[in-house]
DNA sequence: TTGACAGGTAACTATTTGGTTACCTATAGT
DNA sequence: ACTATAGGTAACCAAATAGTTACCTGTCAA
């Protein structure tokens, strides 16, 4: 699982949207995903290929469908690269505080 | 703090190396960072500018030096976007297992 | 067995991005 | 005062990237 592939895959807003869709609901086909994005099917396919190469998405064929699943492991590895056990609590608390402030604003 | 800036900032290997250096030790000057990277000072400066714009690095001037500090909050937000409280334990455990296997290999 | 649907390949184009050189500004120390 | 050091701006170039159209393959269902 190459680092670079993961970060490059995450760099595009369309690909992040695809991950959002899969986070919301797994096992989507290409056509399903395509219908949620303003883009050609081919465009979506190329994005999914990159996400799969990065290990962020895994796929399985069902007849003529190819279903897509989100794999959160590479995301966690990003986290662990720059947030160690000691700072994790502090950062998480800070983020939660920030979220609380934003929702009550 | 724009999403897109963060992800684009993380997409480049040199910028990730800079974050690694700051993770290892904070408060580094541009010249310090430059000495660890095979690149012109200007190249490093442009990378740092992007990291700063993304909020991944914060800076403070001391005389003629500009010191750079790692800000882990945007990294945590990436994590929280695709890993919810329920799957976090599972994923963290999986990652730890993976790390254990790799170190004893 | 034919038509419709789901997915895939190839070739091309416009834009973005990473990096350079050349030149400029500000602070420290002797 | 002046020289070395730390940082900054502008203009430019080569390579990578996101997206397109046109065409091809495989599977389901009547």
């Amino acid at each position: 699982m190459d680092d670079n592939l993961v970060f490059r895959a995450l760099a595009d807003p369309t690909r992040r949207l695809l991950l959002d869709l899969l986070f919301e609901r797994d096992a989507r086909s290409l056509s399903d995903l395509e219908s949620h994005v303003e883009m050609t099917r081919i465009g979506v396919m190329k994005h999914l290929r990159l996400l799969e190469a990065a290990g962020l998405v895994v796929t399985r064929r069902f007849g003529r469908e190819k279903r897509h699943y989100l794999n959160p492991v590479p995301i966690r590895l990003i986290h662990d690269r720059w947030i160690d056990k000691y700072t994790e609590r502090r950062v998480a608390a800070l983020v939660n505080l920030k979220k609380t402030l934003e929702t009550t604003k």
Side-chain angles (χ1 to χ4, degrees), chain A:
Chain A
M1 218 183 306
D2 190 3
D3 266 309
N4 204 37
L5 291 179
V6 176
F7 288 105
R8 291 197 168 269
L10 290 173
D12 183 85
T14 304
R15 287 195 288 271
R16 293 197 298 274
L17 172 56
L18 291 170
L19 291 181
D20 288 339
L21 289 168
L22 291 176
F23 180 62
E24 181 197 312
R25 183 165 57 78
D26 254 336
R28 293 181 190 260
S29 68
L30 169 59
S31 315
D32 180 355
L33 291 166
E34 178 202 347
S35 69
H36 291 83
V37 179
E38 281 299 313
M39 190 183 299
T40 323
R41 181 175 53 86
I42 318 298
V44 178
M45 211 172 65
K46 289 174 83 173
H47 284 308
L48 286 172
R49 193 199 308 278
L50 292 182
L51 287 169
E52 196 177 351
L56 285 160
V57 163
V58 289
T59 59
R60 189 167 168 202
R61 292 206 70 114
F62 283 86
R64 61 179 166 180
E65 279 190 359
K66 186 177 183 180
R67 304 210 182 139
H68 298 75
Y69 302 84
L70 175 63
N71 177 27
V73 170
I75 303 288
R76 181 69 190 188
L77 290 176
I78 292 176
H79 175 273
D80 291 353
R81 177 164 178 175
W82 291 297
I83 298 178
D84 55 44
K85 288 266 192 315
Y86 304 100
T87 51
E88 178 166 4
R89 286 175 187 281
R90 191 171 54 78
V91 173
L94 196 57
V95 168
N96 287 333
L97 172 64
K98 188 164 169 290
K99 282 177 184 164
T100 308
L101 291 176
E102 279 169 359
T103 51
T104 56
K105 183 174 50 186

